[in-house]
Amino acid sequence: MRRMRVGVNIIDADTARTWTDTCRTVEERGYDLLLAPDHLDTGGPFTLLGAAAAATERLRLGTYVLNNEFWNTALLAREAVTLDRLSGGRFELGLGAGHMKWEFEDAGIPWRAHAERLADLAAAVDGLDARLGEDRPPLLIGGHGAATLALAAERADIVGVAGLTQRKGARMGVFRVGGAEETDERVALVRERAAGRDIELSVLLQHVEVTDDVEKSAAALVKLVWPGVVPDHEPLWENPYLLMGTPQEMADALVRRRDRYGFTHVVALGGRGDDALAEVIPLVRAREAAEGR
């Protein structure tokens, strides 16, 4: 089993100084990964990560994940190899098929069926392999649907399990969060389609909260933003894409999920370097040391 890698997916930067301070804080607090998303209402991922490369020494840097429909493969290959070289080989390229319809409309990019976007994603991987060869950074493909995860299992070095899928009957961009049983099925599919390839499994945590009363916190969260979004037959704090409890309880939960699902690449959504997950990292490291990892 791999050593667990813990990261934050930074949403945006205010100024050069606050951004570089954030990057250094993330590194100092023991994170392994600093990641940037690819949305029209956030900063440009390669600009952010280029600045992060100059401000840090140890952190792995990655996109989590690029909307493949926004990128020309030749230009993407140039950006990826440039950042990888400038960071001293610390870059990891994360790709996805895109899922926010409003962004396509805003950018004037046709919104097409998922199967078509997924075919383009597969073609982009072919193009990156052809252009970069051995210079290609480690590739992560993220998603949650069976077809996307099958492609990731067959082609990527890291398979990102996002936990979110479009809610049936709801407007585009309204999602539900998968539960434990569904995640078992997704991971089994990935293992089958990987056919023995040495892949890393990544999980995106949609919510992280330090609390000494998980039942109270879970009830408040459901009332505020989660009604009908998460499975109602399992405790919220046991959901694979949420992390709640005391720091020790959260560390124990991550280890249990590692053992059950194989998640060793853990990403917190929207972290700024001082989020709750930072309190959990030393406890996970102590557990791994006791296990001889």
Side-chain angles (χ1 to χ4, degrees):
M1 185 73 71
R2 299 170 183 265
R3 177 179 178 272
M4 196 177 296
R5 300 199 293 157
V6 183
V8 285
N9 201 25
I10 306 293
I11 292 177
D12 210 347
D14 299 320
T15 67
R17 181 171 181 177
T18 58
W19 173 244
T20 54
D21 285 348
T22 295
C23 295
R24 293 187 184 106
T25 299
V26 169
E27 186 166 62
E28 290 166 0
R29 300 199 72 174
Y31 285 95
D32 304 287
L33 307 158
L34 177 63
L35 307 165
D38 186 21
H39 294 294
L40 294 187
D41 56 355
T42 64
F46 285 103
T47 302
L48 292 174
L49 294 175
T56 61
E57 297 179 357
R58 176 188 55 80
L59 284 172
R60 301 287 294 177
L61 308 168
T63 51
Y64 204 91
V65 292
L66 296 180
N67 182 339
N68 180 63
E69 298 291 292
F70 290 174
W71 296 89
N72 172 283
T73 302
L75 301 181
L76 175 56
R78 182 187 65 177
E79 295 293 323
V81 75
T82 300
L83 180 54
D84 193 47
R85 289 171 179 169
L86 291 179
S87 66
R90 289 186 284 147
F91 179 56
E92 299 178 2
L93 176 61
L95 284 175
H99 63 279
M100 300 299 288
K101 186 172 184 287
W102 73 265
E103 292 185 312
F104 286 73
E105 294 170 346
D106 189 25
I109 298 172
W111 172 259
R112 299 177 301 147
H114 181 262
E116 295 179 72
R117 287 179 279 129
L118 193 61
D120 276 357
L121 179 57
V125 175
D126 290 338
L128 289 168
D129 285 344
R131 288 179 177 275
L132 300 181
E134 295 182 357
D135 290 332
R136 193 197 78 183
L139 175 66
L140 180 150
I141 294 178
H144 193 71
T148 303
L149 291 178
L151 173 65
E154 294 167 358
R155 303 297 303 276
D157 306 292
I158 308 163
V159 177
V161 186
L164 297 184
T165 51
Q166 173 69 33
R167 292 180 67 180
K168 292 183 178 179
R171 62 179 175 80
M172 292 302 300
V174 177
F175 304 103
R176 65 173 183 83
V177 180
E181 293 179 4
E182 180 177 291
T183 304
D184 283 330
E185 295 171 358
R186 294 293 196 269
V187 169
L189 168 69
V190 168
R191 297 295 188 198
E192 178 183 354
R193 297 299 288 266
R197 295 179 62 243
D198 183 22
I199 59 171
E200 186 174 18
L201 278 170
S202 175
V203 62
L204 179 59
L205 299 175
Q206 302 291 334
H207 181 76
V208 180
E209 180 180 347
V210 175
T211 175
D212 58 5
D213 189 339
V214 292
E215 294 185 4
K216 181 178 179 180
S217 295
L221 188 60
V222 168
K223 185 176 181 180
L224 275 175
V225 294
W226 296 95
V229 174
V230 295
D232 58 10
H233 62 280
E234 64 183 30
L236 201 64
W237 53 91
E238 293 183 3
N239 186 281
Y241 310 99
L242 308 175
L243 193 63
M244 308 173 70
T246 66
Q248 187 61 62
E249 288 171 340
M250 291 196 287
D252 292 342
L254 288 179
V255 171
R256 287 196 304 272
R257 296 171 191 179
R258 177 202 69 187
D259 294 343
R260 176 172 179 172
Y261 307 113
F263 293 143
T264 57
H265 183 288
V266 178
V267 180
L269 182 66
R272 291 299 299 265
D274 59 347
D275 67 26
L277 195 55
E279 300 183 48
V280 179
I281 293 172
L283 301 175
V284 171
R285 296 290 174 249
R287 178 72 172 269
E288 290 179 325
E291 296 172 341
R293 297 181 189 276

